[in-house]
Structure formats: structure tokens, C-alpha cells
Amino acid sequence: MLMQFLASGFMLGSVYGLVALGFAAIYKATRVFNFAQGMLMATGAYLAVTGSVVLGLPLVGTIAFVVVAAGTLGVVIQWLLIRPLAGRPLLAMVMITIALSIILRALIVIIFGGGAQTLRLGLPEGSFVLGSVRISAIHATAAGVSWLCMALFMVFFRFSKAGLLMRATADSHEAAVLSGVNVNRINATAWALGTILAAIGGVFLGQLQVASVELENIGLLALPAVVIGGLQSIPGAIIGGLLVGLIEQLSSGYISPKARDIFVYVPLLIILLVRPWGLFGERELGRV
Amino acid sequence: MPTIRHASRWKALLLSGAVLCLAFNASARAANFESPQDGVYADHIDWGMTADMSGPSSGAQNPWGQGFQDAVKVVNEKGGVGGRKINVLVEDTRYDATAERVAYEKFVSQTPALGTSGMGNSSAQTAMVPLIKRSKLPVVGTYTTAKAAVEPPTPYFYGGFCGFKEMAQTGVGFFTDHLALKQPTVALVHLDVASGKEYAGYMEAAVTARGGTFKAIPIKVVAADATPQVLDILAMKPDFVAIHGVTTTSILVMKAMLQYGINAPAFAISYLGTPTVYDGLGPDAGKNYYFVSCFSPASSDLKVSVALSAAADKFGHSALKDDVNYVAGYVIGNMVADAIGKAGAEPTREKLSAMLNTGYVANTGGLSSELKYTPTDHFGLTALKPLSFDYATKSFKSYGEYADFGKYLQ
């Protein structure tokens, strides 16, 4: 049973890691703590419903539609809401993302109605046995795609010119501006990537159950994941997501479903008290 | 003789004239009757409706609200009740007890209504029992019925949905007989909330009454996976499974059961017998999924659902007519119109409640089991029947008539 819980936790945690990675990408580049990340994930599920059900696109077409639409949405959010508030206090940014989440929820309810929408993308279903562990094909696909997306992001972040500029902007906003880096474009790219990653997570969670605005609550598990892993750390976000997935499965399986909240949020409190920069983040030192 | 006959004719004419005048006066007075403090006006009646239209339970309560409003629209198109149109005042309470109380108080005095329907939050109902008794605004046809509101009956409170105790007894009774079991082994996956624990209590009582073995397995409302719950089911090897929760609960549990090769049938509470759940499950997982309900989806009996289908089609809700929540709202909307009519030509809150309390049976046209209120029973609906979905014909299938399953109720 332990192996089964570990396998399930790993696969679920991979999706959390993907959403958390999007959160970290936005925070690292723009220093915005994005409380709308959960709703962006739910939006991804509804974009997939739009692509597959409303537009009747095949699987590949639906995925392309989700990626393009989510990326555009991220750029629009940065351009309309985040960019005008550059330099404002943190509270204003936080309130903007909370308001964004509420607006997105209301828009989804207006467009799709309050009910859940069925999402059937034709992804592999059924299950297979690996050793003593039974694995669902859709969970395995979700985990595989999540790891592929995370790997692509890491390659982009580490080896591409845009990734280099993003890291430079994250290290020092002022220095990047002085060096002639188009910081607004970098920030827009970060928002586009963060939204795309959240949306892909939403597509899989919508396929595992249904597309519903309540997916936001699952998406918000990305917050403890990134805080535990380290707000500034890309690998930390992924590992944080995996930890949340594993903790969820083990605590639900061995104690009670409600124990999940204790075992996820107590480590978060400890981390914030003892090591606020997270397990894999770097301590920020200010020169006086 | 001719003179006497002539005089009698005059008397008869005078008497008829007087009777006609009285009748005309009475009808004119009734038509002009107004009681603004009760939401009753010469040309319309204000009626409240609260539902979660954008909160966590909106997926189920939105169709209920649409069914309710569609039924009232049809009544209004036919001239209303006693010449008065019913004006539905809708409040979105977002499954929030405080919002429910604020809306109720608004209907009591701020925008007075003759009565209100919906109130789909059992915690709010439980907390508001003293307020309802004090304010005397009838709550007629609720989306869920809290035990505290009907045991003992609360004056001015009348339920309008299938009860958890009856769901448990009908489901356990049907599957025990259907599978020819002597002592059933039953697993229940339920939300770790008040109604889930209440349902677990009823399920345990129903299973142990048959000498069976029972296990309650909690799950969170916001669950992303049901592996821990299904591994528990796997270890228990139940004859059948019961499900209490929301749409995602059914989908996660049934899909995980399929993944782990558990072929046991499962029955869910009434709220989860919707096309969305069956669409989400697909035929492989959906073939083992049943639900018990006191309302009949349109496709389960095309003869009795003609008017409902016509209303759903007319108002753009064709996709909802197979949703038991929409059917429930439609039945309650019609019941409210009928009850207002039976409250007399000069309806008030007091007259409406008195009429319901002295014994009322609604004509639901076969769309539900018998809906009746008595001085000692304000619950409304008691009988249920099991249903499932036939993916080949894309229609719901019932396993008998409501009366066939009354034997399971205690």
C-alpha cells in the first residue's frame, strides 16, 4: 500500500509541481505573489473545454489552442493589470491578483454557467500494473507531460537568451533596466509562461475529474508548494509540488483526508519561521 | 295562480340578481385585494427564491433555480394564479449561511414576499429555525431539508427534496435484494462534513439492520484524487458502494474503482444523478453507477415529462431536463403556484401556511414521488427509486415505480 501511495503522490505532485513552477516563474521575474494562479489553472480546464467541445478541435489542436490562449491571457494580464502598478506597494499587487481571480471566476460562470463541464480529450484511459503498483494511464500521462513541460522550462530558463534575460531581471531589476533589457517584455514572457504552465495543469486535472471553478482550490495547493520549496527557486517549486502530492496521499491514506491540511500547512509554518527563503531558495542579503 | 307564479318569478329574479351582485363584489374585492406586507398586490405576488448560483454547490443548485423559474414562467404565461402573476425575487446566497439569513430577512420585511423557496443550505436552515418561527414567512419547497427543521415540524417550514435517511434505506434495501445478499458488506465514501456524517449514520443503521458490515470512508470536498479511499474499498471487498459528495466525488471514486479493478456497483445520493456525472464517468465506469431519487429525469419516463420537456426547450434549458436538480426545481415551482391558488383568493402568509399545515398533496404529474404535508410531517417527499443511465440509448432507466420501494422505508 505504501508503494501505491508513493506512486499516486508522485503523479499528483508532478501536476502540483507544474502549477507551482508557473507561480515561481512569475514571482521570480516580477516579484508578484500571484493569488490568481489557482483560477488560472481552472481557466486552463475551461480553455480545453472551449477547444475540444465548443470548437470541436482534435487533441493536438486543443492543446495548441490552450497554450496560445493561456499565453495571450498571461500577456494581457501583465499589460493591463501588473505593468501599470510597477513600483507600487506589495499590497496593491496582491489585491490585484485576488481581484483577478474573482473576475475570472465570474467570467467563467457567466460564459459556461455554474455547473461543471465534462472534459474528454481522448487521452489514454485504463490502468496498468508496474511491479506491485497499479497506475492509471491518465495519471501517468499527466505526470509525464508535467515533467516534459518542467524540463522544457528549465532548458529555456538556463540556456535560451530570453531565459538568461529573465534570470538577469530576477537578480536585479534596476541593473537589467540600466543594461537596456526590455523588462516589460521579460515580465510579459514570465506571465505568459506562468499562465501556460497553470493552464496545462488545469487541463489534466479537468480530465481527471471535470472542469469546474472549484479546481481553483486544488490549484492553490501550489502556494504551500512554492513556499516550502523556495519562492525564488525553480527546482524548489517542483520539489515542493512533489512533497505536497506525497504528503496528501500519505496523510489521507494513513490518517484522514483532513489531516492533509495539517501536514501540508504545518511544514509551511515551520519553513516560514525557520527558513523563510524555503528549502531550496537563496537567502537574500541586504547591504546596509 | 298566474299572479302567484308571476310574483315567484320576480322573487327568483331578485334573488339571482342579489347573488350575482354579491359574487361580482366578492370577485372584484378578491381581484383588488392587496396585502403589501405579505408581498401580495392586485396584479402580482412577490415570491422569494434563494440558491447557490455562483458558489461551491452552484453546479447542482443552478439547475434547480432554473427549473423553478421555468415552471413559474409557464404558470405566468397561462395567466398566473387567480389573475396575479408570480414575480420571483432571486437571491444568490453562494452556499453561505449568513447570506441565506440576510436574504430571508429581506423577504420578511424589506421586499416582502408571500413565501420563499430554495434555501439549499442545511446549516442555515438549522440555525434559522427560531427566526422562521418568529418571522412567520413560509419557506415552501427547500432544496435540502435539515433534520432540525422538520423533526419536529417547524411551523412555516416545508421541505422539498429527498431525505438522506430515505436515500440510505432505499439504496441499501434495493441493492441487498437486487444482488440477493443476506448480510451485505457496504462501503460508503462520504464528504467529511455535517451532512456526510449524518448520511453515514443513516447508512450504518440501514446496513446493520440487515446484519451487514459497514465502513464509512471520508473524502475531502476539494479532492484531486481518490486513491486512499479506493484502496480502503479494495481492502474491504464490499458487495456494493455508496457515495455521498459532489460531482467530482462520484467521478474520482468511480474512475479510481475502475483503475483498481473493483467491479462492485455503487449508488449515489439523489443530487449526484446528473448527466454531467455520467458524461464525466464514461460508459466503462458509468455502467456500475446508480443513484436513488425522489425525482425522475425526463428521459426515464417520457410520458410524464412532456410538459417539463416543453418548458425546458422553450426557455433554453433542454440540456437540463435530465438533471434531477432541474426536475426538482420545476416540481417545486409548480407546487408553489398550486399552493398559492389553494390558499384562497386573498392569499396571505398565514393563510398559505395554514393551508399547507392542515394537509396538502401536490399534483406533481409523476415527476416525483408523492409530495404531501400534514400537521405532523413537513418533510414532503419520502419515497425514492433507484435509477441508472443507459449509454446506448442515452437515457435514464428506473428500476420500478416509487411505490415499489416503499417497503424499504422505516
Side-chain angles (χ1 to χ4, degrees):
Chain A
M1 197 175 263
L2 174 67
M3 288 306 292
Q4 188 68 60
F5 285 141
L6 290 176
S8 299
F10 174 80
M11 286 181 280
L12 203 58
S14 302
V15 181
Y16 292 159
L18 184 68
V19 181
L21 178 59
F23 187 98
I26 290 172
Y27 183 81
K28 200 168 169 62
T30 65
R31 298 295 165 123
V32 173
F33 202 87
N34 181 21
F35 279 99
Q37 193 74 356
M39 191 44 78
L40 289 175
M41 195 190 84
T43 305
Y46 280 95
L47 286 174
V49 170
T50 308
S52 65
V53 181
V54 180
L55 303 177
L57 298 172
L59 175 62
V60 177
T62 300
I63 291 168
F65 173 76
V66 170
V67 169
V68 172
T72 309
L73 177 65
V75 171
V76 169
I77 291 169
Q78 195 276 336
W79 193 72
L80 274 182
L81 304 174
I82 306 300
R83 191 173 159 183
L85 287 180
R88 296 276 185 87
L90 183 66
L91 181 66
M93 292 287 196
V94 168
M95 292 306 291
I96 280 280
T97 62
I98 292 172
L100 173 66
S101 171
I102 295 168
I103 290 167
L104 284 173
R105 174 184 274 263
L107 279 173
I108 289 171
V109 171
I110 289 168
I111 296 168
F112 293 93
Q117 302 281 323
T118 308
L119 181 57
R120 298 181 78 81
L121 293 174
L123 291 169
E125 294 204 345
S127 60
F128 57 93
V129 178
L130 197 68
S132 61
V133 177
R134 192 178 279 268
I135 293 170
S136 130
I138 182 71
H139 281 83
T141 309
V145 173
S146 296
W147 281 101
L148 179 67
C149 290
M150 290 188 276
L152 286 173
F153 181 84
M154 296 288 267
V155 168
F156 166 82
F157 200 63
R158 192 155 288 274
F159 300 112
S160 74
K161 190 184 170 192
L164 179 72
L165 294 177
M166 205 179 273
R167 278 187 286 148
T169 310
D171 280 346
S172 172
H173 192 91
E174 290 78 10
V177 172
L178 288 171
S179 307
V181 175
N182 187 341
V183 173
N184 282 326
R185 187 180 292 170
I186 294 298
N187 287 350
T189 309
W191 268 91
L193 286 172
T195 309
I196 289 169
L197 294 174
I200 293 171
V203 171
F204 283 111
L205 284 172
Q207 173 81 27
L208 288 170
Q209 36 181 273
V210 280
S212 142
V213 285
E214 298 312 314
L215 285 178
E216 178 190 20
N217 297 313
I218 299 173
L220 286 176
L221 283 171
L223 299 187
V226 285
V227 173
I228 291 170
L231 275 168
Q232 295 268 29
S233 167
I234 297 298
I238 298 167
I239 294 168
L242 283 176
L243 280 174
V244 168
L246 290 168
I247 289 170
E248 179 179 330
Q249 289 293 309
L250 292 169
S251 58
S252 296
Y254 288 112
I255 304 170
S256 140
K258 284 205 168 165
R260 179 193 80 175
D261 294 343
I262 298 169
F263 285 94
V264 169
Y265 286 95
V266 165
L268 179 128
L269 289 176
I270 294 169
I271 288 282
L272 284 174
L273 288 169
V274 179
R275 197 180 158 89
W277 52 94
L279 290 175
F280 298 91
E282 285 178 15
R283 186 175 194 168
E284 283 187 45
L285 296 172
R287 199 169 282 174
V288 181
Chain B
M1 281 298 280
T3 319
I4 293 166
R5 201 180 291 152
H6 190 72
S8 306
R9 200 173 290 155
W10 269 106
K11 271 186 193 168
L13 269 170
L14 278 170
L15 196 64
S16 310
V19 168
L20 271 172
C21 279
L22 279 172
F24 179 76
N25 271 341
S27 88
R29 202 183 64 214
N32 291 324
F33 173 78
E34 288 203 338
S35 179
Q37 70 275 16
D38 292 305
V40 179
Y41 304 91
D43 60 343
H44 76 275
I45 288 168
D46 282 339
W47 188 272
M49 191 207 94
T50 58
D52 173 10
M53 295 158 91
S54 58
S57 139
S58 58
Q61 293 200 32
N62 249 327
W64 186 93
Q66 279 152 349
F68 182 92
Q69 291 179 82
D70 286 356
V72 172
K73 280 181 201 165
V74 173
V75 169
N76 285 340
E77 281 183 355
K78 289 177 180 169
V81 181
R84 295 182 178 92
K85 300 280 172 70
I86 300 174
N87 179 35
V88 182
L89 308 169
V90 180
E91 289 286 333
D92 177 7
T93 47
R94 293 180 57 85
Y95 203 66
D96 178 65
T98 311
E100 200 69 68
R101 184 189 172 110
V102 169
Y104 182 82
E105 286 179 331
K106 185 177 171 184
F107 296 143
V108 169
S109 54
Q110 190 183 326
T111 315
L114 180 60
T116 182
S117 302
M119 202 181 272
N121 184 321
S122 53
S123 305
Q125 289 175 11
T126 305
M128 286 167 64
V129 165
L131 175 69
I132 294 167
K133 283 180 184 168
R134 198 170 57 241
S135 305
K136 300 180 179 179
L137 169 70
V139 180
V140 184
T142 50
Y143 177 73
T144 183
T145 307
K147 192 178 171 184
V150 289
E151 291 180 16
T154 299
Y156 307 98
F157 184 98
Y158 301 89
F161 212 95
C162 335
F164 280 132
K165 186 165 76 180
E166 290 76 16
M167 290 181 207
Q169 290 174 350
T170 306
V172 170
F174 169 71
F175 276 103
T176 305
D177 288 354
H178 188 63
L179 301 172
L181 304 168
K182 283 185 182 162
Q183 293 174 316
T185 303
V186 185
L188 164 71
V189 180
H190 69 93
L191 292 187
D192 206 3
V193 297
S195 67
K197 286 172 188 165
E198 184 186 325
Y199 188 60
Y202 291 134
M203 278 294 299
E204 185 168 19
V207 174
T208 49
R210 290 170 175 270
T213 310
F214 173 77
K215 183 172 187 182
I217 304 166
I219 188 169
K220 276 179 79 84
V221 180
V222 186
D225 184 73
T227 298
Q229 287 74 24
V230 171
L231 288 179
D232 249 6
I233 294 173
L234 196 62
M236 192 195 184
K237 295 187 175 58
D239 295 311
F240 57 91
V241 176
I243 300 173
H244 164 281
V246 293
T247 301
T248 50
T249 316
S250 283
I251 292 174
L252 289 174
V253 170
M254 293 305 293
K255 279 189 172 177
M257 280 172 60
L258 182 71
Q259 176 192 339
Y260 289 98
I262 301 172
N263 200 28
F267 80 88
I269 55 173
S270 312
Y271 304 98
L272 301 178
T274 64
T276 306
V277 172
Y278 281 99
D279 278 353
L281 290 177
D284 291 339
K287 69 174 190 287
N288 277 339
Y289 183 74
Y290 300 72
F291 64 100
V292 284
S293 175
C294 54
F295 295 101
S296 309
S299 66
S300 70
D301 192 340
L302 295 172
K303 275 184 245 166
V304 303
S305 60
V306 174
L308 173 131
S309 294
D313 293 342
K314 182 170 185 177
F315 300 114
H317 297 138
S318 302
L320 293 177
K321 57 189 170 191
D322 255 347
D323 187 323
V324 284
N325 298 299
Y326 179 85
V327 179
Y330 180 84
V331 166
I332 297 302
N334 276 313
M335 188 265 280
V336 162
D338 182 55
I340 293 172
K342 286 183 176 156
E346 298 180 358
T348 60
R349 291 172 183 175
E350 277 303 323
K351 286 179 188 170
L352 175 66
S353 191
M355 186 279 297
L356 291 169
N357 196 46
T358 48
Y360 169 79
V361 181
N363 176 16
T364 66
L367 286 170
S368 76
S369 58
E370 187 179 51
L371 172 51
K372 71 171 181 184
Y373 303 118
T374 68
T376 54
D377 184 4
H378 285 193
F379 202 90
L381 296 140
T382 46
L384 294 94
K385 63 182 178 183
L387 295 115
S388 67
F389 186 73
D390 183 348
Y391 284 91
T393 58
K394 295 192 187 308
S395 62
F396 282 88
K397 173 184 164 190
S398 72
Y399 291 82
E401 300 301 321
Y402 291 109
D404 301 338
F405 304 97
K407 62 187 174 189
Y408 298 129
L409 303 177
Q410 291 156 15

